[in-house]
Amino acid sequence: MPTTAAIDSSRTVATLINVFTVAPERQHELIALLAHATEETMKHQPGFICANFHASQDGVRVVNYAQWESEKHYWAMRADPEARVHMDLAATIATDVQPRLFTVASHHPKA
């Protein structure tokens, strides 16, 4: 299984797209927390493939694009108490958190 993000409709990974709304002055704090949580906990969870964090240019959003080997692996991580601590902390920085699981339905790379 690859260890980097690959957007490909033939792969059967579970893709998490989590959109955080945050006060602009706390955007970097949230990204630092998410990066730390990933290094310390998430990347050691079974089924973890990768996580990427995107900062909106207006400062009010952080997007987490992560991939897990399966939906089962994702939900197991969500149930893990150590992972839960990090997720709860992120929710205290963000004013809104919108995690959703996706599959790649269509993929169009430049030829």
Side-chain angles (χ1 to χ4, degrees), residues 1 40 104 106 110:
M1 179 66 64
E40 294 296 315
V104 178
S106 185
K110 183 175 178 178

Side-chain angles (χ1 to χ4, degrees), residues 61-106:
R61 300 277 189 287
V62 172
V63 175
N64 174 10
Y65 181 94
Q67 292 180 333
W68 294 85
E69 288 180 21
S70 70
E71 187 174 338
K72 180 180 174 182
H73 286 105
Y74 169 76
W75 288 112
M77 174 278 298
R78 292 284 308 233
D80 181 85
E82 186 178 353
R84 188 82 241 156
V85 167
H86 296 295
M87 290 182 287
D88 291 346
L89 247 165
T92 68
I93 297 171
T95 58
D96 189 42
V97 182
Q98 294 290 322
R100 300 287 187 274
L101 285 179
F102 294 84
T103 57
V104 178
S106 185

Side-chain angles (χ1 to χ4, degrees), residues 27-63:
Q27 185 188 53
H28 292 294
E29 177 186 2
L30 179 58
I31 291 171
L33 171 76
L34 295 170
H36 175 77
T38 299
E39 288 300 317
E40 294 296 315
T41 302
M42 304 307 179
K43 71 190 294 184
H44 305 289
Q45 297 286 319
F48 176 85
I49 297 172
C50 66
N52 303 275
F53 304 105
H54 306 263
S56 68
Q57 293 182 350
D58 62 6
V60 298
R61 300 277 189 287
V62 172
V63 175

